[in-house]
Amino acid sequence: MADINIDPIAHLQNATNFSTFGGNNASIIEWGVNTVKSLSYFKIFVTLLCILLAYDQISYQLKKGSIVGPKWKWYPIIGPFLESLDPKFEEYKAKWYSGELSCVSIFHKFVIIASTRDLARKILQAPKYVKPCVVDVAVKILRPCNWVFLDGKAHTDYRRSLNGLFTKQALAQYLPSLETVIDKYIDRFVEVSKKNKYEPQVYFHEMREILCALSLRAFCGDYITEDQVRKIADDYYLVTAALELVNFPIIIPFTKTWYGKKTADAAMKIFEQCAQMAKDHIASGGESVCVMDAWVKLMHEAKNRDDEESRLYHREFTNKEISEAIFTFLFASQDASSSLCCWIFQIVADRPDILQKIREEQMAVRNNDLSKPIDLDLIDKMTYTNMVIKETLRYRPPVLMVPYVVKNKFPVTSNYTAPKGSMLIPTLYPALHDPEVYENPDEFIPERWVEGSAANAAKKNWLVFGCGPHVCLGQTYVMITFAALMGKFALYTDFEHKVTPLSEKIKVFATIFPKDDLLMTFRRRDPLTGKVSE
């Protein structure tokens, strides 16, 4: 073979000029560099934006699959975010009845809504696949270490440690202080109306305050001052606004989420101080009169016992842990109970026959003895009053939907699997308005709850307090509190509601309220004679 002399420099030049397939690499590289240089920042931005928009639409289509929902995201990226800033009950209802599963996508958060009773129950009882998420910013406002964000056995054990705070025996200890609060607000509501010359006025804020006062007195007893109660009640709507279903997922100064976190932090600081006072009170041999007392007492008793339940209290819960738990109790109760309060006063005031039956029952269970304090025995006898409360909860359920996040791919139906990371929301309203279970579901009929009725037998439809591992801890507390509240207000006040075209319209603000914010007036009433005084 002939010798071949290779010039290394020439060889390198040839290598950069020709590809294996005869292409000109140098030309391609030079073209690429020149092209990038020629692109303006605007063109790069537009290109990246187009890629992002395409990805958002493709991702939505893949996640949507066959379930009901907009064919395309007509508002790229943000989806129906602007509509969600002013949520309308009618739009929610249309969504529920559009199909058993429907969806939207907001800021690339894929949201699946389950509308049937059976799907709602399936989701609520599926801790393997889902966990409560409230909203993205909730972890920051309620604090990441809060017990509500625990999962699996850790959540189960913590919850078991709280069950003893809401037994009937424990609730009986809180009733005297609750009755004191009710008496105080009877006087206040009458005085507010008197100052307004008994002209109907908005009572939405007063209803929120009385429920906040009742809750905080039950939770913290006399360790919390009236000024602190009023401050928390006045500011709590900031927490509600911060935890709306659709909100910015990060906390930016001077936004709803920022104000909400400030309010939550201030309230939890007060609760920490109350927790220490409760510990001091029980350590000195004091009696339990509130939730904090009961919790601390269980911890003290556990030191000398070794049964399975007591072992849950063997460790000392810190003031911080107690304060965070108390705040979640307030979070769970405040908006929902305020909603119930507004609706029950409106409904009963608009139906004098129902109000009269409540008054007759209240006198009967007391044997006309108005000096008799409220106790559990008295409340157990308030059959009709309890039916009115239960029907209000069915007719106007405070909680419409419960957001969960999917932690593992969840085969919700045989045809659809919810993707990991999506938000899955079981809806409670349709199950409570099912005409196959509740005859004339859009009518208010307390008598449907008589013992042995079809409504009482339909346990699966009664989703007011949820079901499964996260079923509401305070459902007995709610029934007892409202029986006491309605009983005393029915006896000692004559309350009237001004009906407007918006009275029966539903406003969604975390929970639901009358759209006209409840126009009422209260006068003093003599329970024995029925005489109304001004």
Side-chain angles (χ1 to χ4, degrees), residues 23-134:
N24 192 320
N25 281 341
S27 299
I28 293 172
I29 293 170
E30 185 178 358
W31 174 86
V33 171
N34 291 335
T35 301
V36 170
K37 286 181 178 179
S38 68
L39 286 174
S40 66
Y41 286 115
F42 176 73
K43 290 179 180 178
I44 295 172
F45 172 76
V46 170
T47 302
L48 293 175
L49 181 61
C50 289
I51 293 171
L52 178 62
L53 295 177
Y55 171 74
D56 188 53
Q57 291 286 1
I58 293 169
S59 175
Y60 170 71
Q61 294 296 326
L62 292 174
K63 291 175 181 176
K64 176 181 178 295
S66 60
I67 65 176
V68 176
K71 188 174 181 180
W72 301 96
K73 288 181 69 173
W74 297 111
Y75 299 100
I77 308 298
I78 67 171
F81 172 71
L82 297 177
E83 298 170 20
S84 302
L85 293 176
D86 182 24
K88 293 179 173 58
F89 175 76
E90 293 75 17
E91 292 174 359
Y92 279 141
K93 195 172 181 180
K95 199 77 176 170
W96 302 332
Y97 291 102
S98 66
E100 63 175 11
L101 288 176
S102 58
C103 68
V104 294
S105 180
I106 302 175
F107 284 120
H108 204 57
K109 171 68 74 174
F110 190 67
V111 181
I112 307 156
I113 300 167
S115 302
T116 67
R117 177 200 70 185
D118 291 339
L119 285 181
R121 293 185 67 87
K122 182 176 182 178
I123 295 163
L124 292 168
Q125 299 178 94
K128 177 182 175 182
Y129 295 104
V130 298
K131 64 178 180 179
C133 65
V134 193

Side-chain angles (χ1 to χ4, degrees), residues 162-174 294 298 376 473 476-477 480:
L162 301 175
N163 286 338
L165 310 179
F166 294 97
T167 63
K168 277 200 165 187
Q169 182 181 1
L171 293 171
Q173 300 170 11
Y174 319 148
L298 286 169
L376 288 183
L473 274 171
T476 304
Y477 166 78
I480 286 174

Side-chain angles (χ1 to χ4, degrees), residues 309-342:
E309 289 300 315
S310 294
R311 280 194 289 272
L312 296 170
Y313 305 98
H314 276 186
R315 74 176 180 86
E316 185 82 8
F317 288 85
T318 66
N319 294 344
K320 183 172 179 288
E321 285 178 306
I322 294 174
S323 75
E324 290 172 352
I326 293 297
F327 191 82
T328 61
F329 297 162
L330 183 63
F331 168 66
S333 67
Q334 176 59 16
D335 292 310
S337 59
S338 298
S339 168
L340 173 57
C341 198
C342 287

